[in-house]
Amino acid sequence: MTPSLALRTQPKDFVTHVRSKDGSRSESKFEKEVILPALDQQDVCLHAWADARFAVENMAEHAQFFALQMPQELAPREHDQAEQFEVKFKALLAKIAAEGPPQADAVKAFCETVIKEIKPFIAFKEACREAQASGKLYCLIWPLAFEHTQREAQRWCRRLQGLGLGDAEFDRAEVSTFWTGSMDEDCRFIAHLLDPEEYALIDACMKTSSVFRHLNRGGTGGVVASLVGEPGSVVVSLVKNQATYEILSCAEAILDLKTKLCRDIEGGRVKSMMIPAMADHLRRESIKFVDELKRAV
């Protein structure tokens, strides 16, 4: 916790999420913590700070990954633009972290400032998606990945807009629809970044993708349908220790799967094109999924 944050809040106001079960420390140089309000905390100022911090860090990493996957030889202009976005978002993240939560009378302006910084990146993602899909841009990023990250940015803008108006609540239908769709695509991204020799893990990711696709289309009934249509060890593991087929069970399971993937990539036990930072990025999104589901009304 930053000094300025500590001065204006109490330790009980926030929870710091790391990979280790006891939450005592980060276990890897690639691991980043996720700081979120305590589950009983409804203060819009704390939620605005935590969600802005999470969103801006996500945007900085999107820009970083784009730059890495846009070779100068093929996409020099887009590569440079991505690097500029990375620098901008890292500077904004440092400012948000250092200043701590806004005061009540400054929440709206705080949220509007962050939204203003994100909107040009949304336009950049859309332009790149269109160019990559039409053959005008050649890089190592799927059109779906541009669309996926664009949707995330748009969603954070909507969330911050609501917080700026004083609404810290999460709508269960919105949370479920957004995150189950994202988890479906995350699993497909992971599968396509694995070494072709990783037969079992590729199969597991595609089956898990199917679970979330069914959830996204039909609620908890979709889990039952997916279990019938996709029998397999990973799908069974999603509910093996759960009393029901609820979405939260699957959210917690995908978090466990991604956490293990982080450890296995870093330990050389899984062969993949995915860099450790990207694996940890996906893990942290699942932390947010679980957290929002627990809060949703």
Side-chain angles (χ1 to χ4, degrees):
M1 186 175 290
T2 62
S4 60
L5 181 60
L7 285 174
R8 290 161 53 186
T9 64
Q10 299 297 319
K12 64 180 177 60
D13 292 332
F14 288 97
V15 175
T16 299
H17 298 264
V18 293
R19 292 183 201 170
S20 61
K21 292 296 184 183
D22 62 7
S24 60
R25 59 182 176 81
S26 297
E27 65 182 29
S28 164
K29 66 180 180 180
F30 299 108
E31 179 183 358
K32 293 183 180 178
E33 63 188 19
V34 179
I35 302 175
L36 298 173
L39 284 176
D40 61 352
Q41 182 54 256
Q42 295 297 317
D43 189 326
V44 71
C45 300
L46 306 189
H47 279 271
W49 180 84
D51 279 359
R53 183 182 184 277
F54 187 91
V56 170
E57 187 164 49
N58 257 28
M59 296 303 105
E61 290 175 346
H62 287 169
Q64 177 191 15
F65 301 150
F66 288 170
L68 289 171
Q69 296 172 291
M70 291 174 161
Q72 281 278 11
E73 295 81 0
L74 294 177
R77 183 171 65 89
E78 290 82 2
H79 174 92
D80 290 346
Q81 287 177 301
E83 286 191 331
Q84 290 165 13
F85 278 115
E86 180 185 1
V87 170
K88 181 178 75 169
F89 285 120
K90 282 184 174 178
L92 180 57
L93 175 63
K95 184 174 185 291
I96 290 170
E99 293 183 354
Q103 300 290 350
D105 60 357
V107 170
K108 189 171 188 293
F110 171 83
C111 293
E112 288 175 347
T113 296
V114 177
I115 292 170
K116 182 179 179 181
E117 294 296 322
I118 292 176
K119 283 187 173 180
F121 199 30
I122 293 174
F124 173 77
K125 291 173 176 179
E126 173 59 19
C128 288
R129 185 200 64 79
E130 291 180 356
Q132 183 77 0
S134 65
K136 296 175 183 177
L137 172 66
Y138 299 99
C139 68
L140 304 177
I141 307 169
W142 306 294
L144 180 59
F146 284 124
E147 182 182 344
H148 175 97
T149 57
Q150 181 185 8
R151 274 190 259 109
E152 289 181 344
Q154 291 168 331
R155 200 258 184 165
W156 290 124
C157 286
R158 291 194 298 271
R159 170 65 178 164
L160 289 167
Q161 186 176 35
L163 287 163
L165 296 174
D167 183 10
E169 288 190 345
F170 288 98
D171 176 75
R172 181 169 293 277
E174 189 278 335
V175 169
S176 298
T177 299
F178 174 79
W179 283 115
T180 55
S182 293
M183 295 301 106
D184 162 30
E185 292 173 355
D186 279 2
C187 289
R188 286 186 272 151
F189 293 150
I190 293 168
H192 286 81
L193 289 168
L194 291 168
D195 188 289
E197 292 290 331
E198 295 282 0
Y199 295 107
L201 188 51
I202 291 169
D203 185 54
C205 288
M206 295 307 293
K207 286 177 176 176
T208 307
S209 165
S210 180
V211 169
F212 282 105
R213 190 157 57 255
H214 280 289
L215 281 169
N216 185 258
R217 292 171 179 174
T220 55
V223 178
V224 178
S226 65
L227 289 171
V228 172
E230 296 283 5
S233 59
V234 171
V235 179
V236 172
S237 74
L238 287 173
V239 296
K240 184 171 63 175
N241 297 317
Q242 304 290 338
T244 66
Y245 297 154
E246 294 179 355
I247 294 176
L248 182 59
S249 302
C250 294
E252 291 172 337
I254 192 66
L255 173 57
D256 289 343
L257 187 152
K258 288 180 178 179
T259 301
K260 185 177 186 303
L261 180 69
C262 288
R263 291 168 174 155
D264 287 346
I265 288 176
E266 292 169 18
R269 294 181 293 276
V270 164
K271 298 181 290 294
S272 172
M273 291 173 59
M274 186 182 300
I275 61 173
M278 185 179 292
D280 193 67
H281 173 95
L282 296 176
R283 176 190 67 87
R284 282 178 273 120
E285 290 183 338
S286 290
I287 288 175
K288 197 70 170 72
F289 178 19
V290 170
D291 181 81
E292 289 186 11
L293 271 179
K294 290 179 178 178
R295 299 175 191 274
V297 296

